[in-house]
Amino acid sequence: MLLIVLSVMFTADSYAQLTINGAQFFIESGATVTVQGDITSNTDILGAGKVLLKGTGNQNINMNNFTIPNLEMDNGSNATLTGNVKIGTDLLFTNGKIILGSNNLIMSAAATITSPGSSKFVVTNGTGKLIKASVGNTAFTYPVGNTALTYNPVSISNSGTVDSIAVRCLANANNTGLTGTGFTKEVVDASWDISEALAGGSNLSLTASWDGTDELPGFNRNKAGISYYITSPAPNVGWDLLNSQTAAATGAGPYSYTRTGITELGAFAIGTRPVLSPLLVSPKIFLQSNFSTGTGFMSDNLRLKNLIPVNEPYDSIPNFIHSGSGGKESSTAAIVGSAAPAGNDAIVDWVFVQLHDAVSGLVVSTRSVLLQRDGDIVETDGVSDVNMAGNVSGNYYISVRHRNHLGARTASTLALVKTTALPYDFTTAQTKAFNDGIIVNPPMADIGSTPGTIFGLYGGNINVDRTTRKTGSATVNDFSLLLSGVNSSSAPGPTDVYRREDLNMDGNIRKTGSSTTNDFSRLLAILNGSNILTQPLF
């Protein structure tokens, strides 16, 4: 065997290429070997000295899974691994990035990484990972990013069984974890693939960081967190973050979140709704105010007139209080506007869905979603099942409310899960809606052409106080509020408006005209001889 003993005491000594083939290469303590070209070796580099990468172009490194004791990265043109590389003692970042591709950069149990930062880190742009052997209670920071322009480091400590922990940063947060389609809003535009050498036994504390430029539209750093993608068993598959685990991020740019007690490894992401634990339901309801007994559907006049807002209206309406992950939902004009597809699935308006605790009945989460002409309640994309995200699978009541209708709640609890939407049709019977035993009127309006066949939410609740009435003070009397909305000085009233006084939901507020266009006539028809209709307490 050829023995090469190198006792280099000055950093001025340099090599255009460093190739070690079947020989021992020894660098004394305090010595530095400066390499301006590529490095290839089929054996460990020995000694306590250092290899300095100082090229003017990209440098390729292939250690064939062997060790460099100390490596300093000082090349603004970066270095690329073409084989696995192990670091025995220290990796010092002075300038530039190390690009992994499909290869691993492995830090020994005692190895450290010194002076990484947003311009000098490990780029995990392929399947290669940054691996740290023997991760225990002492936190180790993985300075990673998916591209040379994105820096998303994670810090990991392990209070469980000491293990080798590997990390790579992905370009996006994906709908199915490590694969799938990248989310386009409400998340940090990155995710982390974290794995262990020995399955089981780890108990990690994970701190993940990002810059403000990584945040996609709608991301709320005051109410987000780290989510883990569960891969099995069904029906638990999916992102697992709960509303109770969200909080404000720390830092002022870069920002970070910490999650503890991690015992299952895989894909991790940061965000709000897209990476919250799904909880699916498929309710159906009709609105009395714009239901047609002739067609058996609701009218979509507001959509035809482009009056349905793209952003949900309930944030600004009294007595509608969002909780959980609800609030500030948005759709698009292509879904709620006049150019959207017509037919029975056309959008009628926004509705307000509430999730209630099975024991106390208290609201634990809300969601502003869309109502189709056929009564189906769908997500903001106009087609998907309603997702009360951020809540665990279990038994809940569901209620549906509308901006000028009384609400209804399910008569019994529903067993909701993450992956399959449970249907619930309010329209088929009065008994489908909760009755508190206090109200005199039935809990829903009987709206079918044949009595007792179709039911829906009572209309006429202009002041959203859970009663529709034509008596009482001006603040509670919906008849008086309607008169104020019409504004008698400019009768017959405002046109092409999106307002609660528009009881028949045709875009106009009128006190004149036929019974189908006159909102005063509509209110009287809703009351049907009563002075007041009351919503059950829920």
Side-chain angles (χ1 to χ4, degrees):
M1 175 183 291
L2 174 64
L3 176 64
I4 300 177
V5 180
L6 191 64
S7 300
V8 183
M9 303 304 295
F10 303 100
T11 61
D13 291 347
S14 62
Y15 292 78
Q17 305 258 359
L18 179 59
T19 301
I20 306 170
N21 186 14
Q24 287 187 337
F25 193 86
F26 187 97
I27 308 175
E28 282 190 351
S29 177
T32 298
V33 173
T34 302
V35 180
Q36 296 174 326
D38 298 339
I39 297 177
T40 303
S41 178
N42 59 11
T43 187
D44 293 333
I45 294 176
L46 305 177
K50 177 172 65 177
V51 174
L52 171 62
L53 297 178
K54 194 69 174 177
T56 56
N58 178 78
Q59 295 178 260
N60 295 315
I61 309 174
N62 184 1
M63 288 295 297
N64 291 292
N65 216 40
F66 290 102
T67 300
I68 299 175
N70 294 283
L71 178 67
E72 180 178 353
M73 178 64 198
D74 190 12
N75 180 357
S77 297
N78 306 324
T80 298
L81 300 195
T82 55
N84 292 346
V85 175
K86 294 181 179 179
I87 302 295
T89 303
D90 182 65
L91 169 60
L92 170 62
F93 278 98
T94 300
N95 188 23
K97 306 167 184 73
I98 297 177
I99 302 170
L100 300 191
S102 60
N103 300 290
N104 297 325
L105 179 59
I106 306 161
M107 309 299 294
S108 73
T112 56
I113 299 180
T114 304
S115 300
S118 59
S119 62
K120 42 186 183 172
F121 56 88
V122 177
V123 178
T124 59
N125 59 331
T127 58
K129 294 184 177 182
L130 175 58
I131 303 172
K132 176 65 169 70
S134 302
V135 177
N137 284 314
T138 301
F140 182 81
T141 297
Y142 295 74
V144 294
N146 180 259
T147 73
L149 301 176
T150 57
Y151 183 50
N152 301 115
V154 294
S155 176
I156 297 175
S157 63
N158 181 12
S159 62
T161 304
V162 173
D163 202 348
S164 293
I165 305 295
V167 173
R168 68 181 175 115
C169 183
L170 281 66
N172 310 107
N174 300 313
N175 64 336
T176 54
L178 298 179
T179 58
T181 303
F183 296 117
T184 58
K185 62 181 182 179
E186 300 175 334
V187 297
V188 169
D189 198 20
S191 57
W192 296 266
D193 176 12
I194 302 176
S195 57
E196 57 192 347
L198 301 174
S202 294
N203 191 336
L204 306 187
S205 174
L206 169 66
T207 299
S209 302
W210 75 96
D211 191 74
T213 56
D214 297 322
E215 297 171 358
L216 294 179
F219 176 75
N220 182 0
R221 74 172 73 107
N222 291 315
K223 193 179 180 181
I226 297 176
S227 188
Y228 165 69
Y229 191 85
I230 301 172
T231 56
S232 66
N236 298 312
V237 172
W239 292 103
D240 77 339
L241 183 66
L242 302 177
N243 292 321
S244 59
Q245 296 173 312
T246 62
T250 60
Y255 306 94
S256 65
Y257 278 111
T258 297
R259 178 167 173 169
T260 60
I262 298 171
T263 58
E264 300 291 335
L265 304 187
F268 294 84
I270 292 174
T272 47
R273 285 198 53 83
V275 294
L276 288 173
S277 180
L279 191 69
L280 302 180
V281 65
S282 181
K284 180 176 180 177
I285 198 72
F286 286 127
L287 303 179
Q288 181 186 24
S289 287
N290 67 340
F291 182 80
S292 170
T293 57
T295 65
F297 297 97
M298 293 172 286
S299 69
D300 59 341
N301 288 324
L302 295 178
R303 181 192 68 82
L304 292 171
K305 291 185 175 183
N306 278 318
L307 295 176
I308 301 175
V310 170
N311 299 314
E312 64 95 10
Y314 294 102
D315 274 324
S316 59
I317 298 177
N319 298 328
F320 287 89
I321 301 173
H322 273 296
S323 61
S325 61
K328 302 189 184 307
E329 291 85 353
S330 63
S331 186
T332 65
I335 295 169
V336 301
S338 61
N344 297 337
D345 290 337
I347 302 303
V348 168
D349 200 1
W350 290 90
V351 291
F352 192 82
V353 175
Q354 299 178 143
L355 187 73
H356 300 254
D357 180 79
V359 178
S360 67
L362 296 176
V363 175
V364 295
S365 194
T366 64
R367 179 74 173 152
S368 292
V369 285
L370 299 172
L371 178 65
Q372 296 178 344
R373 287 188 65 230
D374 60 5
D376 291 337
I377 300 175
V378 295
E379 267 298 331
T380 57
D381 62 2
V383 293
S384 300
D385 296 315
V386 174
N387 182 6
M388 304 303 293
N391 300 281
V392 297
S393 298
N395 295 323
Y396 299 91
Y397 296 103
I398 289 287
S399 63
V400 181
R401 299 171 61 197
H402 181 258
R403 59 192 177 91
N404 64 9
H405 284 67
L406 304 183
R409 198 202 76 181
T410 57
S412 58
T413 58
L414 308 180
L416 304 183
V417 297
K418 295 177 66 168
T419 54
T420 304
L422 184 69
Y424 192 87
D425 190 348
F426 283 94
T427 71
T428 59
Q430 284 284 10
T431 55
K432 300 300 288 288
F434 168 67
N435 190 332
D436 60 7
I438 300 173
I439 61 170
V440 176
N441 52 271
M444 292 188 293
D446 190 335
I447 59 176
S449 57
T450 301
T453 58
I454 303 176
F455 303 89
L457 301 183
Y458 285 111
N461 185 25
I462 296 171
N463 65 343
V464 293
D465 66 349
R466 303 193 178 206
T467 62
T468 294
R469 59 197 303 163
K470 63 178 180 180
T471 60
S473 67
T475 57
V476 299
N477 186 329
D478 295 292
F479 198 88
S480 296
L481 293 168
L482 180 55
L483 182 62
S484 298
V486 168
N487 186 1
S488 59
S489 65
S490 59
T495 60
D496 297 331
V497 293
Y498 183 82
R499 285 169 51 176
R500 297 197 300 276
E501 297 94 333
D502 175 22
L503 296 185
N504 64 354
M505 298 175 63
D506 66 354
N508 305 319
I509 305 174
R510 294 183 179 273
K511 66 176 183 180
T512 62
S514 68
S515 59
T516 58
T517 62
N518 184 330
D519 292 293
F520 282 80
S521 296
R522 192 61 171 156
L523 180 57
L524 294 175
I526 288 168
L527 288 164
N528 192 26
S530 302
N531 287 326
I532 182 172
L533 295 169
T534 303
Q535 173 185 316
L537 294 173
F538 58 76

